[in-house]
Amino acid sequence: MATQEKPRLDPETARQVISPESYAEWDGILDTFDRLRAEAPVAWVDADDDAVHPPFWLVTRYDDVMRMSKDNTTFLNNPHSVVFSLTEGIEFAKAFSGGSEHMVASLVTFDAPIHMKYRKLTQEWFMPKNLRGVEDDIRAIANAAVDRLLAGGEEADFVKTVSAPYPLHVVMQILGVPEADEPRMLMLTQQLFGGSDEDLNQSGMKDLPPEAITQLVAGAVKDFEAYFAKLTAERRANPTEDVASTIANAVIDGEPLNDRDMMGYYIILAAAGHDTTSASTAGAMLALAQDPEQWARVRADRSLLPGIVEEAIRWTTPVQHFMRTAAEDTEIGGQPIARGDWLMMNYVAANHDPSVFDDPRKFDAARSPNRHLAFGAGAHQCLGLHLARLEMRILFETLLDRIATVELAGAPARSKSTFVGGLKTLPLRFTTA
Ligand code: HEM
């Protein structure tokens, strides 16, 4: 299909939808999504500069994103499933990995039939029944996080003291990474996925040319590999109940996982498990701090907590997009799509679709049903969704027990990122119970 026939976004809007700054400012991008859902729900985004990103279709309506998520035959995760892969980055990854466009192979880069074989290895581990076995450990980590918060007096940045470190501790614990190694893991995941926020990304990547960034990321992958090769050897010699043991001893089609696939598994869990849950946790606290009466209500009636958790996940939508590639000529929302076209499922847009969510910008803990798309849907639906909800529930139970009142002590700020977003600061004032 010729490019000029496509409903192409004007250059300013095209820049806005992939710009990390837009997601930090938030309201402006929500306005744009409202306009696009109404006027061009499947719109062609062409940067006119392939060095930034290859062109793609931006899909903003809930029903279209849901249909794409569930049709894993027509819409594939391969060859690349997030937009922040710069074109040079993709070329570098091919050279680095011997042909693949991914620096690391992982669940989000696989399609059927291999995807399910890999997913099944740990799927049971992440089910609610099994997670009961780690509840006490999570509660201890939550209590330690609240100790830290209270230790600093009656004001603190909730992100730095609680919502950022807490999910990191949990995911590292389930992966079997000792606490002393956590800073190193954090550094590595930031190098891999830190995006462009200078406050969050300690690696100084934003000032580097794309080639230097890809080399830095490749270095991070190598460091990860070395780290987890050691952990694998330990878990093969002495298996425990943790996820690292499950992966280290996994067998697919009669063969143990090769090193690259095993590292990909560790990396996706380490990377997917912390920033995401941190963002929804901070979002829940922001909503409660903005409405102190809600804090009092849920302190008195804990049955309100699951609604708050679920709405916080929709309201914040930490994972802002995933990409798919059309396996064949098809259509979405009435728009013809050619085989090989790249498409962005924008979860922020879908979760603010007013045809599904009344008053979508409002935090409404009583929203029911709340069938948001923050965890995706279909074969790739978030593997850690039960864990994320459990972590949030346990943390807020602990906070509600120990904190009587909470309010904002300054302006919160969102991070600059096109992929995983959320609050980077949340200044709070509180009184203890
Ligand atoms: C996949 C969101 C927490 C592990 C995904 C996807 C989304 C997502 C949108 C892609 C779904 C799709 O393509 O249809 C979130 C959010 C979280 C969260 C919003 C927190 C509120 C976690 C946690 C873990 C985790 C705690 C594990 C430690 C994964 C994995 C995948 C995934 C392994 C890939 C699954 C696959 O491709 O089969 N997540 N996630 N996530 N998530 Fe999460």
Side-chain angles (χ1 to χ4, degrees), residues 53-360:
H53 64 83
F56 61 85
W57 293 104
L58 169 65
V59 182
T60 47
R61 281 188 182 157
Y62 177 94
D63 287 350
D64 294 338
V65 173
M66 180 65 95
R67 208 196 103 202
M68 287 178 62
S69 301
K70 288 187 166 170
D71 182 352
N72 304 101
T73 314
T74 312
F75 299 104
L76 303 179
N77 280 44
N78 236 320
H80 35 99
S81 56
V82 288
V83 81
F84 71 173
S85 359
L86 296 167
T87 302
E88 283 97 332
I90 294 170
E91 291 311 314
F92 186 91
K94 278 186 189 164
F96 175 79
S97 64
S100 164
E101 294 192 358
H102 304 290
M103 207 66 80
V104 287
S106 79
L107 286 179
V108 293
T109 67
F110 293 142
D111 291 302
I114 192 79
H115 169 254
M116 225 3 117
K117 291 185 182 178
Y118 278 82
R119 189 170 161 116
K120 276 197 178 135
L121 296 176
T122 57
Q123 196 156 263
E124 266 314 296
W125 201 97
F126 285 99
M127 293 310 265
K129 192 162 162 245
N130 186 64
L131 291 175
R132 266 181 234 133
V134 289
E135 265 200 39
D136 288 348
D137 291 342
I138 296 178
R139 205 170 291 281
I141 297 172
N143 260 307
V146 181
D147 287 345
R148 252 191 334 270
L149 181 71
L150 301 187
E154 297 204 329
E155 278 192 24
D157 180 352
F158 185 72
V159 175
K160 288 199 178 63
T161 48
V162 179
S163 67
Y166 167 66
L168 180 73
H169 285 314
V170 173
V171 80
M172 290 300 145
Q173 170 117 0
I174 65 168
L175 269 176
V177 173
E179 208 169 323
D181 291 336
E182 281 182 16
R184 189 166 165 222
M185 285 296 113
L186 182 62
M187 179 74 179
L188 291 174
T189 54
Q190 277 174 346
Q191 281 182 359
L192 270 179
F193 300 105
S196 31
D197 197 295
E198 56 277 12
D199 291 340
L200 299 180
N201 198 326
Q202 310 296 319
S203 57
M205 282 214 260
K206 79 170 178 58
D207 299 322
L208 299 175
E211 313 79 60
I213 293 177
T214 46
Q215 279 176 30
L216 201 69
V217 171
V221 173
K222 285 240 178 297
D223 284 355
F224 252 112
E225 286 181 356
Y227 184 87
F228 282 110
K230 195 166 148 264
L231 192 67
T232 300
E234 280 167 18
R235 291 302 191 273
R236 283 186 176 159
N238 299 301
T240 68
E241 297 293 307
D242 62 17
V243 176
S245 297
T246 308
I247 298 169
N249 296 290
V251 173
I252 290 186
D253 298 336
E255 299 284 336
L257 263 59
N258 67 37
D259 284 355
R260 186 175 146 80
D261 290 349
M262 214 153 39
M263 297 319 142
Y265 223 125
Y266 291 131
I267 289 172
I268 183 76
L269 291 177
H274 68 89
D275 282 359
T276 49
T277 313
S278 167
S280 53
T281 302
M285 188 49 122
L286 171 62
L288 292 167
Q290 281 174 332
D291 180 3
E293 279 175 23
Q294 189 158 219
W295 184 265
R297 272 200 306 280
V298 62
R299 279 199 87 212
D301 178 3
R302 300 298 170 90
S303 72
L304 299 174
L305 194 48
I308 289 175
V309 166
E310 212 55 46
E311 176 66 345
I313 295 167
R314 180 199 71 87
W315 194 60
T316 53
T317 307
V319 176
Q320 297 171 160
H321 79 268
F322 260 106
M323 308 297 290
R324 295 290 189 264
T325 298
E328 58 199 52
D329 289 353
T330 182
E331 64 74 34
I332 191 82
Q335 171 63 46
I337 304 290
R339 176 167 181 259
D341 278 0
W342 205 30
L343 303 99
M344 173 186 277
M345 305 187 292
N346 196 294
Y347 299 122
V348 175
N351 278 343
H352 288 82
D353 186 335
S355 72
V356 179
F357 305 101
D358 287 339
D359 200 357

